[in-house]
């Protein structure tokens, strides 16, 4: 469907609140999602609750071009229709995992999407976030060189400059790739640039390589002739949906609604890939052919949404790199963060049928 018909259909439908049974189920969840060593307060939803029993009157969620399910949920208006007039849904765009982490820590968003490595890094450095859903297994990061580059191997990066956004998957992808190639990171000049600025620096010759992020990376390939120097899907650390512990304690009902919407979006996106491509193309301002590459070739949505062993295995590889690079003070902090990061209850209890069509 086009954006116009989607919007028209949305206006034609009135806001739909969850039924009493669904509200009761989400409130019951409060007893299951307390933080470490804490017990959720049974009367929390009543404190400042809205007329329909929601625990807050505002819900702030991020959307990002690296998180296609967030784009689908925003486009379809499911949160707004499910929560009705009693909860204002606010959307904030994240330009990268580092920005999503900053917004979570500052309380600017209630729920934000990052790469797994970025979530673990934030938790290791004291941010009280929990991962409540896994939204994708992407190959969104790779090493990129400009058209005509003499650099043909990762080992060739020694003595050259590379753009990367610290605190994100592409940055840790770069460190893993250098380690695999036997290159000391100290021998590479890493320019800490936000993803879009990294692409610009690559294309204007300010850096010799870029640890890129889709869809910017795919767009650079198509529009500037940039080439992927090195790919490795195993160095990409899944897409994590995160919330602060304070938010989960105060609003387990709203957290569950968001996760329910994510699982509805997962099924919808797999049934409507062409529409997902169009949505991404419009939001990112890229050619639909580029968006198609990102969605159909580099994004896997058909995965278990419950954070668990698969993600832990990946992060156990990345964690020591935080310490070696000086991004975290000790391995003990990383280990503790990894033990505390996952909150699987919401994804385990996800029920897409509670989300209004």
């Amino acid at each position: 469907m086009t954006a116009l018909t989607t919007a028209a259909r949305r206006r034609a439908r009135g806001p739909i609140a969850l039924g009493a049974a669904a509200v009761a189920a989400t409130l019951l969840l409060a007893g299951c999602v307390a933080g470490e060593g804490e017990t959720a307060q049974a009367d929390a939803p009543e404190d400042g609750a809205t007329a329909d029993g929601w625990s807050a009157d505002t819900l702030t969620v991020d959307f990002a071009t690296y998180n296609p399910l967030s784009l689908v949920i925003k486009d379809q208006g499911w949160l707004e229709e499910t929560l009705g007039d009693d909860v204002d849904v606010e959307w904030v765009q994240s330009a990268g995992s580092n920005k999503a982490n900053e917004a979570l820590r500052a309380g600017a968003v209630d729920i934000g999407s990052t790469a797994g490595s970025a979530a673990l890094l934030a938790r290791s450095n004291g941010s009280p976030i929990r991962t409540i859903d896994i939204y994708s297994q992407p190959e969104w990061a790779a090493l990129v060189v400009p058209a005509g580059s003499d650099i043909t191997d990762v080992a060739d990066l020694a003595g050259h400059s590379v753009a990367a956004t610290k605190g994100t998957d592409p940055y840790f992808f770069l460190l893993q790739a250098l380690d695999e190639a036997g290159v000391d990171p100290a021998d590479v000049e890493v320019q800490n640039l936000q993803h879009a600025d990294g692409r610009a620096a690559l294309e204007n010759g300010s850096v010799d390589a870029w640890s890129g992020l889709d869809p910017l990376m795919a767009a650079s390939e198509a529009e500037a002739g940039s080439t992927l120097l090195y790919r490795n899907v195993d160095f990409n650390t899944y897409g994590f949906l995160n919330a602060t512990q304070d938010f989960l304690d105060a609003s387990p009902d709203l957290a569950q609604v968001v996760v329910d919407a994510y699982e509805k979006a997962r099924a919808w996106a797999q049934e409507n890939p062409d529409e997902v491509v169009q949505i991404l193309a419009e939001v990112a301002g890229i050619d639909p052919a580029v968006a198609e590459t990102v969605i159909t070739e580099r994004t896997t949505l058909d995965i278990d949404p419950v954070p668990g062993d698969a993600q832990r295995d990946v992060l156990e590889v990345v964690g020591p790199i935080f310490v070696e690079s000086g991004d975290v003070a000790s391995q003990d902090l990383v280990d503790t963060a990894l033990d505390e990061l996952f909150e699987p209850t919401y994804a385990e209890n996800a029920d897409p049928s509670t989300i209004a069509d």
Side-chain angles (χ1 to χ4, degrees), residues 74-136:
K74 184 176 185 292
D75 178 79
Q76 297 295 301
W78 291 329
L79 290 178
E80 292 83 351
E81 294 184 26
T82 300
L83 296 170
D85 292 334
D86 295 295
V87 180
D88 291 329
V89 179
E90 298 177 351
W91 291 93
V92 176
Q93 184 166 11
S94 292
S97 293
N98 60 324
K99 297 300 183 182
N101 274 329
E102 289 172 10
L104 282 163
R105 188 152 197 164
V109 298
D110 298 317
I111 296 179
S113 43
T114 72
S117 60
L120 179 61
L121 177 65
R123 181 85 196 193
S124 299
N125 284 321
S127 182
I129 63 169
R130 310 293 302 280
T131 298
I132 57 176
D133 189 80
I134 304 299
Y135 59 82
S136 71

Side-chain angles (χ1 to χ4, degrees), residues 3-92:
L4 179 61
T5 57
T6 299
R9 189 186 67 232
R10 188 178 306 142
R11 287 194 297 270
R13 295 187 300 227
I16 303 171
L18 283 177
V23 172
T26 55
L27 295 182
L28 179 62
L29 181 64
C32 305
V33 296
E36 301 83 20
E38 299 177 358
T39 301
Q41 299 298 315
D43 61 349
E46 297 176 5
D47 297 335
T50 66
D52 281 346
W54 300 112
S55 58
D57 58 13
T58 301
L59 172 65
T60 307
V61 188
D62 86 338
F63 69 101
T65 55
Y66 54 82
N67 177 359
L69 296 187
S70 71
L71 305 184
V72 169
I73 296 168
K74 184 176 185 292
D75 178 79
Q76 297 295 301
W78 291 329
L79 290 178
E80 292 83 351
E81 294 184 26
T82 300
L83 296 170
D85 292 334
D86 295 295
V87 180
D88 291 329
V89 179
E90 298 177 351
W91 291 93
V92 176

